mmCIF file of all heavy atoms in Angstrom:
data_model
loop_
_atom_site.group_PDB
_atom_site.id
_atom_site.type_symbol
_atom_site.label_atom_id
_atom_site.label_comp_id
_atom_site.label_asym_id
_atom_site.label_seq_id
_atom_site.Cartn_x
_atom_site.Cartn_y
_atom_site.Cartn_z
ATOM 1 N N SER A 282 -12.209 20.227 13.489
ATOM 2 C CA SER A 282 -12.966 21.330 12.929
ATOM 3 C C SER A 282 -13.998 21.849 13.966
ATOM 4 O O SER A 282 -15.251 21.548 13.833
ATOM 5 C CB SER A 282 -13.693 20.977 11.548
ATOM 6 O OG SER A 282 -14.320 22.026 11.085
ATOM 7 N N PRO A 283 -13.695 22.425 14.960
ATOM 8 C CA PRO A 283 -14.510 22.960 16.025
ATOM 9 C C PRO A 283 -15.590 23.760 15.386
ATOM 10 O O PRO A 283 -15.346 24.620 14.477
ATOM 11 C CB PRO A 283 -13.708 23.643 16.989
ATOM 12 C CG PRO A 283 -12.323 23.221 16.776
ATOM 13 C CD PRO A 283 -12.330 22.803 15.432
ATOM 14 N N PRO A 284 -16.834 23.621 15.867
ATOM 15 C CA PRO A 284 -17.356 23.064 17.071
ATOM 16 C C PRO A 284 -17.839 21.551 16.812
ATOM 17 O O PRO A 284 -18.460 20.896 17.607
ATOM 18 C CB PRO A 284 -18.594 23.879 17.425
ATOM 19 C CG PRO A 284 -19.024 24.346 16.085
ATOM 20 C CD PRO A 284 -17.807 24.541 15.241
ATOM 21 N N ILE A 285 -17.491 20.983 15.681
ATOM 22 C CA ILE A 285 -17.726 19.620 15.347
ATOM 23 C C ILE A 285 -16.993 18.703 16.223
ATOM 24 O O ILE A 285 -15.713 18.811 16.330
ATOM 25 C CB ILE A 285 -17.549 19.206 13.890
ATOM 26 C CG1 ILE A 285 -18.420 20.131 13.001
ATOM 27 C CG2 ILE A 285 -17.981 17.799 13.515
ATOM 28 C CD1 ILE A 285 -19.894 20.227 13.175
ATOM 29 N N ALA A 286 -17.529 17.815 16.913
ATOM 30 C CA ALA A 286 -16.875 16.813 17.803
ATOM 31 C C ALA A 286 -16.041 15.942 16.926
ATOM 32 O O ALA A 286 -16.314 15.469 15.869
ATOM 33 C CB ALA A 286 -17.927 16.066 18.582
ATOM 34 N N ASP A 287 -14.774 15.595 17.453
ATOM 35 C CA ASP A 287 -13.877 14.830 16.736
ATOM 36 C C ASP A 287 -14.420 13.405 16.428
ATOM 37 O O ASP A 287 -14.139 12.935 15.323
ATOM 38 C CB ASP A 287 -12.590 14.628 17.524
ATOM 39 C CG ASP A 287 -11.635 15.821 17.396
ATOM 40 O OD1 ASP A 287 -11.951 16.601 16.459
ATOM 41 O OD2 ASP A 287 -10.651 15.877 18.113
ATOM 42 N N PRO A 288 -15.171 12.722 17.311
ATOM 43 C CA PRO A 288 -15.743 11.410 16.974
ATOM 44 C C PRO A 288 -16.674 11.479 15.743
ATOM 45 O O PRO A 288 -16.593 10.512 14.779
ATOM 46 C CB PRO A 288 -16.388 10.956 18.189
ATOM 47 C CG PRO A 288 -15.771 11.711 19.394
ATOM 48 C CD PRO A 288 -15.335 12.987 18.750
ATOM 49 N N ALA A 289 -17.396 12.561 15.638
ATOM 50 C CA ALA A 289 -18.272 12.685 14.490
ATOM 51 C C ALA A 289 -17.437 12.918 13.218
ATOM 52 O O ALA A 289 -17.779 12.362 12.141
ATOM 53 C CB ALA A 289 -19.336 13.727 14.802
ATOM 54 N N ARG A 290 -16.592 13.783 13.374
ATOM 55 C CA ARG A 290 -15.691 14.130 12.145
ATOM 56 C C ARG A 290 -14.938 12.817 11.737
ATOM 57 O O ARG A 290 -14.848 12.571 10.470
ATOM 58 C CB ARG A 290 -14.638 15.250 12.494
ATOM 59 C CG ARG A 290 -13.740 15.447 11.340
ATOM 60 C CD ARG A 290 -12.590 16.381 11.923
ATOM 61 N NE ARG A 290 -11.884 15.923 13.056
ATOM 62 C CZ ARG A 290 -10.952 14.958 13.070
ATOM 63 N NH1 ARG A 290 -10.579 14.340 11.948
ATOM 64 N NH2 ARG A 290 -10.419 14.573 14.223
ATOM 65 N N ALA A 291 -14.276 12.043 12.656
ATOM 66 C CA ALA A 291 -13.645 10.867 12.311
ATOM 67 C C ALA A 291 -14.507 9.761 11.728
ATOM 68 O O ALA A 291 -14.223 9.186 10.809
ATOM 69 C CB ALA A 291 -12.924 10.306 13.541
ATOM 70 N N ALA A 292 -15.795 9.727 12.203
ATOM 71 C CA ALA A 292 -16.690 8.754 11.560
ATOM 72 C C ALA A 292 -17.065 9.088 10.180
ATOM 73 O O ALA A 292 -17.156 8.331 9.188
ATOM 74 C CB ALA A 292 -18.014 8.681 12.407
ATOM 75 N N LEU A 293 -17.241 10.380 9.971
ATOM 76 C CA LEU A 293 -17.558 10.902 8.647
ATOM 77 C C LEU A 293 -16.407 10.706 7.616
ATOM 78 O O LEU A 293 -16.433 10.254 6.518
ATOM 79 C CB LEU A 293 -17.948 12.360 8.634
ATOM 80 C CG LEU A 293 -18.281 12.928 7.197
ATOM 81 C CD1 LEU A 293 -19.404 12.256 6.478
ATOM 82 C CD2 LEU A 293 -18.596 14.476 7.366
ATOM 83 N N ARG A 294 -15.139 10.993 8.177
ATOM 84 C CA ARG A 294 -13.920 10.706 7.360
ATOM 85 C C ARG A 294 -13.831 9.177 6.966
ATOM 86 O O ARG A 294 -13.426 8.941 5.830
ATOM 87 C CB ARG A 294 -12.608 11.142 8.229
ATOM 88 C CG ARG A 294 -11.460 11.035 7.428
ATOM 89 C CD ARG A 294 -10.142 11.496 8.154
ATOM 90 N NE ARG A 294 -9.053 11.356 7.447
ATOM 91 C CZ ARG A 294 -8.273 10.279 7.145
ATOM 92 N NH1 ARG A 294 -8.777 9.141 7.697
ATOM 93 N NH2 ARG A 294 -7.257 10.322 6.386
ATOM 94 N N LYS A 295 -14.059 8.307 7.868
ATOM 95 C CA LYS A 295 -14.126 6.904 7.588
ATOM 96 C C LYS A 295 -15.160 6.588 6.470
ATOM 97 O O LYS A 295 -14.740 5.830 5.624
ATOM 98 C CB LYS A 295 -14.382 6.193 8.831
ATOM 99 C CG LYS A 295 -14.204 4.687 8.606
ATOM 100 C CD LYS A 295 -14.432 3.841 10.003
ATOM 101 C CE LYS A 295 -14.308 2.392 9.791
ATOM 102 N NZ LYS A 295 -14.372 1.688 10.925
ATOM 103 N N GLN A 296 -16.322 7.083 6.547
ATOM 104 C CA GLN A 296 -17.356 6.896 5.444
ATOM 105 C C GLN A 296 -16.923 7.405 4.113
ATOM 106 O O GLN A 296 -17.041 6.666 3.088
ATOM 107 C CB GLN A 296 -18.627 7.571 5.896
ATOM 108 C CG GLN A 296 -19.300 6.892 7.049
ATOM 109 C CD GLN A 296 -20.513 7.662 7.537
ATOM 110 O OE1 GLN A 296 -20.797 8.875 7.259
ATOM 111 N NE2 GLN A 296 -21.361 7.002 8.346
ATOM 112 N N VAL A 297 -16.206 8.495 4.102
ATOM 113 C CA VAL A 297 -15.713 9.212 2.878
ATOM 114 C C VAL A 297 -14.517 8.353 2.342
ATOM 115 O O VAL A 297 -14.553 8.095 1.079
ATOM 116 C CB VAL A 297 -15.274 10.537 3.120
ATOM 117 C CG1 VAL A 297 -14.633 11.218 1.864
ATOM 118 C CG2 VAL A 297 -16.523 11.459 3.440
ATOM 119 N N ALA A 298 -13.715 7.760 3.187
ATOM 120 C CA ALA A 298 -12.617 6.884 2.857
ATOM 121 C C ALA A 298 -13.147 5.652 2.157
ATOM 122 O O ALA A 298 -12.677 5.235 1.171
ATOM 123 C CB ALA A 298 -11.708 6.574 4.042
ATOM 124 N N THR A 299 -14.224 5.144 2.701
ATOM 125 C CA THR A 299 -14.964 3.912 2.189
ATOM 126 C C THR A 299 -15.463 4.279 0.786
ATOM 127 O O THR A 299 -15.350 3.377 -0.160
ATOM 128 C CB THR A 299 -16.051 3.442 3.171
ATOM 129 O OG1 THR A 299 -15.415 3.114 4.339
ATOM 130 C CG2 THR A 299 -16.716 2.278 2.549
#
Side-chain angles (χ1 to χ4, degrees):
S282 184
I285 304 301
D287 275 350
R290 177 193 50 80
L293 180 58
R294 183 179 184 280
K295 185 175 180 179
Q296 290 173 343
V297 173
T299 299

